């Protein structure tokens, strides 16, 4: 069955969403891949409240991120998604840049509210399509949002998983490490290890990430794309080969 890499990742993310009871998911600006996964979960029958910060019309956030932070602080956001210019083996994120502080060697978009969302969301799914030693590093150059906290520091949730273009990692906050949950078709444990800058655990046999089914692809290319067309037209054109009517 022919599918795009983004379709595999959207299906994989949707399964992680459904793995834990969830009421309210928020998706940040310019995050079409998590948005596709969330809409797929909804179309598969999950009763979710989905709030898209980047939605062009019908956006529930009339005051933007201020309302998102208020909801999260009140414990009303069960799941959020975060990426990073660098991600290390303790699930620390770097959205600042590389080199000495303030990271002027290579500049990333900036931390914004990532630390707050990481601490106060019920759980976080990390994602990054590029899987290479320059992205998945032994130790991030600068910590925008820490994966674990010192004893006595209050935080509502941690990372659930990290999904990349090569595999799925599960995060274990009690030991501050990732374990390899599955490898995508065409990858092996050794190929993932070779392209990962941090060490990770292997708990038993590592399965292959399930490929998208015909039903999942039909939903993504049909009703999911319908929901995303206005907000993410470039993503829909590139991944689903659909363009909005002129």
């Amino acid at each position: 069955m022919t599918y795009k890499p983004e379709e595999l990742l959207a299906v994989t993310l949707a399964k992680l969403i459904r793995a834990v009871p969830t009421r309210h998911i928020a998706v940040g600006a310019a995050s079409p891949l998590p948005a596709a996964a969330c809409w797929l979960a909804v179309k598969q029958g999950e009763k979710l409240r989905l709030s898209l910060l980047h939605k062009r019309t019908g956006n529930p956030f009339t005051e933007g991120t201020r309302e998102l932070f208020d909801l999260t602080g009140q414990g009303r956001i069960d799941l959020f998604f975060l990426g990073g210019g660098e991600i290390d083996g303790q699930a620390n994120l770097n959205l600042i840049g590389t080199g000495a502080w303030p990271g002027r060697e290579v500049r990333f978009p900036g931390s914004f509210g990532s630390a707050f969302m990481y601490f106060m969301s019920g759980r976080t799914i990390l994602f990054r399509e590029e899987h290479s030693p320059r992205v998945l590093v032994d130790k991030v150059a600068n910590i925008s949002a820490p994966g674990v906290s010192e004893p006595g520091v209050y935080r509502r949730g941690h990372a659930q998983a990290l999904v990349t273009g090569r595999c799925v990692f599960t995060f274990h906050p009690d030991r501050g490490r990732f374990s390899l949950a599955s490898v995508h078709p065409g990858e092996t444990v050794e190929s993932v290890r070779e392209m990962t800058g941090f060490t990770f655990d292997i708990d038993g046999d590592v399965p292959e990430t399930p490929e998208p089914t015909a039903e999942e692809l039909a939903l993504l290319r049909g009703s999911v794309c319908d929901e995303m067309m206005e907000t993410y037209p470039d993503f829909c054109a590139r991944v689903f080969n659909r363009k909005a009517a002129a």
Side-chain angles (χ1 to χ4, degrees), residues 3-152:
Y3 56 86
K4 299 282 184 64
E6 293 88 348
E7 292 174 319
L8 172 65
L9 297 186
V11 167
T12 302
L13 288 168
K15 289 175 181 173
L16 290 170
I17 292 169
R18 299 197 309 271
V20 179
T22 304
R23 300 163 300 169
H24 192 175
I25 303 177
V27 179
S31 299
L33 193 55
C38 290
W39 276 119
L40 177 59
V42 169
K43 300 301 180 181
Q44 290 173 320
E46 290 294 308
K47 297 186 182 300
L48 301 172
R49 179 180 176 187
L50 179 56
S51 296
L52 300 172
L53 191 64
H54 201 60
K55 192 175 183 182
R56 293 186 179 178
T57 60
N59 194 324
F61 297 125
T62 56
E63 294 185 89
T65 51
R66 173 181 169 179
E67 290 173 301
L68 171 63
F69 294 156
D70 284 347
L71 285 170
T72 307
Q74 294 163 15
R76 295 164 65 187
I77 299 295
D78 300 310
L79 173 61
F80 196 64
F81 299 86
L82 285 172
E86 290 181 329
I87 303 171
D88 69 22
Q90 285 193 299
N92 296 316
L93 309 181
N94 178 8
L95 285 160
I96 300 167
T98 62
W101 178 261
R104 292 193 175 124
E105 184 178 286
V106 175
R107 295 294 290 165
F108 299 147
S111 302
F112 196 50
S114 57
F116 180 80
M117 297 301 294
Y118 210 2
F119 271 67
M120 301 306 291
S121 300
R123 61 188 169 116
T124 303
I125 295 178
L126 307 179
F127 70 101
R128 184 63 199 263
E129 292 181 66
E130 180 183 341
H131 185 139
S132 69
R134 76 167 188 162
V135 172
L136 305 185
V137 298
D138 180 56
K139 185 177 181 180
V140 296
N142 297 287
I143 298 178
S144 300
V148 293
S149 302
E150 296 294 326

Side-chain angles (χ1 to χ4, degrees), residues 145-189:
V148 293
S149 302
E150 296 294 326
V153 175
Y154 177 75
R155 66 185 298 165
R156 187 171 284 121
H158 297 83
Q160 172 190 0
L162 166 61
V163 177
T164 76
R166 297 181 186 272
C167 69
V168 178
F169 292 107
T170 298
F171 187 62
H172 306 276
D174 57 329
R175 60 196 194 211
R177 288 177 63 86
F178 288 105
S179 64
L180 187 59
S182 69
V183 296
H184 298 339
E187 299 289 344
T188 64
V189 171

